[in-house]
Amino acid sequence: MPKIVDHEQYRKELLMKCFDLFAQKGYAAITMREIAKELNVSTGTLYHYFPNKEALFLQLVEEQTRQDILNFIADAGDAKTLPERIEALMNFLAKNEDYFAKQILLGFDFYQQQQRTDIWNNKTLRKASEDTMQALSDYLQIQDQAVIDFICNFLNGIIYRRMFEGEAVSLTEQGELLAQMLTAYFNTQDKASSANGKTKNIYPHFPK
């Protein structure tokens, strides 16, 4: 009986194996032929699933985004308060710090090979960013887009700084400060809304 191949699952397995290759050698340096050799598949097989290196990379971004969100949701648990949710977020970051650092460096490498406007207009990259921010918004129960943008910038900035400064930048300390800042911000927003006789439901756990 011929072996039945789950082509979608096989494609995903190839993608995830490619991440370490890209991270080790860089997006610009590695070729499709080298990727096929490292994965122990023929170049024909690789091109069957991915028409070119850029398509392979973008599909990798798409799959990693999906997996990262699922892994975070499974890991984070059901924290009840904003500080607890921030703590869960920082714990997840700490456990996967090297992985996220590689993602950032690989993203920089890919960026250097593209026109800036092409990056901005890339539908796959845009959707990956939107899905990530939506997952954060859902978990933290924050609907204020500016605040979600701030949190994303905060997390990326911490990873970048720790790549060069290590433990000099404390994840625990920074997470606690973030929780305090957001708590104070939302309390101020609630008080301002109450004074104006309005309700602004940007964070449901705070009194309206």
Side-chain angles (χ1 to χ4, degrees), residues 93-169:
L93 178 61
K95 287 194 290 186
N96 298 279
E97 185 175 355
D98 289 343
Y99 166 74
F100 289 126
K102 288 179 181 179
Q103 279 189 336
I104 288 177
L105 289 173
L106 183 54
F108 285 158
D109 194 11
F110 180 75
Y111 179 90
Q112 289 182 310
Q113 311 306 312
Q114 312 294 319
Q115 295 294 323
R116 180 179 297 185
T117 53
D118 291 339
I119 293 288
W120 292 344
N121 296 324
N122 188 285
K123 293 181 179 180
T124 299
L125 297 179
R126 184 185 304 167
K127 187 175 187 304
S129 177
E130 291 172 350
D131 288 350
T132 298
M133 289 191 290
Q134 185 62 55
L136 273 176
S137 176
D138 292 343
Y139 179 73
L140 297 174
Q141 298 188 20
I142 295 173
Q143 289 84 49
D144 190 323
Q145 185 59 50
V147 175
I148 295 300
D149 286 338
F150 170 79
I151 295 171
C152 286
N153 295 339
F154 174 89
L155 296 174
N156 286 326
I158 284 182
I159 296 170
Y160 180 80
R161 281 198 62 200
R162 282 175 61 91
M163 285 163 53
F164 294 94
E165 301 178 46
E167 294 298 325
V169 181

Side-chain angles (χ1 to χ4, degrees), residues 19-86:
F19 176 67
D20 285 335
L21 294 177
F22 277 128
Q24 290 167 10
K25 300 190 176 183
Y27 174 82
I30 199 167
T31 65
M32 289 288 277
R33 184 178 296 276
E34 290 172 327
I35 293 172
K37 181 179 179 181
E38 292 291 338
L39 295 182
N40 197 29
V41 300
S42 68
T43 54
T45 296
L46 195 63
Y47 278 111
H48 172 75
Y49 288 96
F50 316 105
N52 53 55
K53 185 171 67 171
E54 181 175 331
L56 190 159
F57 176 81
L58 292 174
Q59 288 184 46
L60 174 60
V61 170
E62 187 175 45
E63 180 60 23
Q64 281 190 316
T65 300
R66 188 180 72 85
Q67 289 292 338
D68 291 347
I69 292 171
L70 290 175
N71 290 339
F72 171 66
I73 292 173
D75 185 85
D78 185 25
K80 301 299 183 183
T81 67
L82 176 60
E84 289 174 347
R85 286 190 168 95
I86 294 296

